[in-house]
Amino acid sequence: RRTLASLLVGVSSFGLIQKVDAEPMPVIANVQITVDGAGYLLPAASADKIVYTRNNVLYKINIDGTDNALLTIPGYGPAFHPDGQSIIYNTSSTWDIQSINIDGTNQHAILEINAVRPSYSRDGFQIVFSECSLTIKIMNSNGTNIVPLVEGNASFPIFNFAGNKILYYAYPDINTMNPDGTSQQYTGLSMGDYNTFEKMDRWILFNNLSQGSYSMYSYDTLDGSINFLANGRHPSLSTDGNFIVYEGID
């Protein structure tokens, strides 16, 4: 059984980590909801809703735990548009990129290739993604003007909250680059995937693979310190930047 929670109970859970300026983000007890199902949950959050994967189906739920409902079939790895009104996601069979409004309307294909973990730019005009060949590309939000940014050994790209950097995984390192692919830099952090910056772009939240994929840590880009946060994985910053949603693991 899985729970949507900031208190980590049961076999696995979602959790909320509140943003606190100038301090490592503490776990704040808020909501607990049980959901059943196998596989990664890969949650994404707007200011008021969470979309998650369960058995290759996308569900939506309010952040207060109410109105847990099916959104679309099949679906995997959602990411919110910055306005919180729609998501992009992968179909689990062909790995193309689809879009759907959070109310279930306007479902349509954006890109029909093997692409994983799409993520919007902060203005919503572009989408960054990685192909199954481990090449990171960026395109317009309607699927046009596809441009390669990093070719080979690169995956899990995501924009920072300011929108001026892309964080990505280049095994075994976590790197950043400009949205045009220039200024590719090592963050000083290795062995982590499914990473995200928090709102102030100071801390990187990451799964520490050297400690097991269910250990979630924060990395301070100013002083290089690493702190354990929670037993969890797949952290994702909400569209308003006020909290992190993640799949917690007991």
Side-chain angles (χ1 to χ4, degrees):
R1 296 177 69 82
R2 295 164 177 262
T3 60
L4 181 63
S6 47
L7 290 177
L8 304 180
V9 297
V11 175
S12 61
S13 61
F14 283 152
L16 300 181
I17 298 180
Q18 295 293 125
K19 173 68 181 64
V20 178
D21 288 346
E23 295 290 343
M25 286 181 271
V27 175
I28 305 296
N30 261 335
V31 182
Q32 179 175 317
I33 294 174
T34 300
V35 296
D36 296 312
Y40 292 153
L41 297 179
L42 299 173
S46 66
D48 59 355
K49 291 190 182 295
I50 295 169
V51 174
Y52 65 95
T53 305
R54 186 177 69 183
N55 298 326
N56 295 323
V57 177
L58 288 180
Y59 290 82
K60 60 182 179 179
I61 191 169
N62 295 333
I63 62 170
D64 64 2
T66 60
D67 294 335
N68 189 16
L70 183 146
L71 179 58
T72 187
I73 304 173
Y76 188 85
F80 269 94
H81 187 280
D83 66 11
Q85 300 304 304
S86 64
I87 63 164
I88 48 177
Y89 63 96
N90 287 128
T91 58
S92 54
S93 55
T94 60
W95 298 105
D96 57 346
I97 298 175
Q98 300 267 337
S99 176
I100 189 171
N101 290 343
I102 198 65
D103 63 5
T105 63
N106 194 29
Q107 185 174 18
H108 62 278
I110 294 178
L111 190 64
E112 296 180 349
I113 64 172
N114 289 327
V116 295
R117 209 196 181 192
S119 172
Y120 275 109
S121 60
R122 285 298 303 160
D123 58 15
F125 293 155
Q126 291 180 299
I127 295 172
V128 66
F129 63 95
S130 56
E131 291 186 341
C132 294
S133 59
L134 299 182
T135 294
I136 293 176
K137 296 184 177 181
I138 195 168
M139 64 181 177
N140 295 336
S141 59
N142 63 0
T144 62
N145 192 29
I146 301 173
V147 178
L149 299 180
V150 184
E151 299 192 39
N153 192 35
S155 57
F156 303 118
I158 190 168
F159 276 88
N160 66 344
F161 190 77
N164 61 349
K165 291 290 182 181
I166 294 173
L167 187 71
Y168 66 99
Y169 184 44
Y171 179 85
D173 300 328
I174 298 173
N175 295 347
T176 61
M177 63 180 165
N178 294 334
D180 62 1
T182 60
S183 190
Q184 297 177 17
Q185 297 181 350
Y186 173 49
T187 62
L189 183 62
S190 296
M191 293 307 293
D193 65 357
Y194 280 96
N195 315 291
T196 188
F197 271 108
E198 46 71 54
K199 187 175 183 178
M200 302 300 291
D201 291 340
R202 173 174 173 176
W203 290 280
I204 297 173
L205 275 72
F206 69 100
N207 292 135
N208 191 334
L209 299 184
S210 64
Q211 300 297 319
S213 61
Y214 304 140
S215 301
M216 197 167 66
Y217 289 75
S218 65
Y219 170 71
D220 192 328
T221 60
L222 294 186
D223 63 22
S225 62
I226 295 177
N227 295 291
F228 175 78
L229 283 180
N231 292 321
R233 60 187 178 187
H234 307 149
S236 179
L237 185 66
S238 63
T239 56
D240 61 1
N242 288 333
F243 62 88
I244 297 286
V245 65
Y246 66 94
E247 180 185 351
I249 305 294
D250 254 358

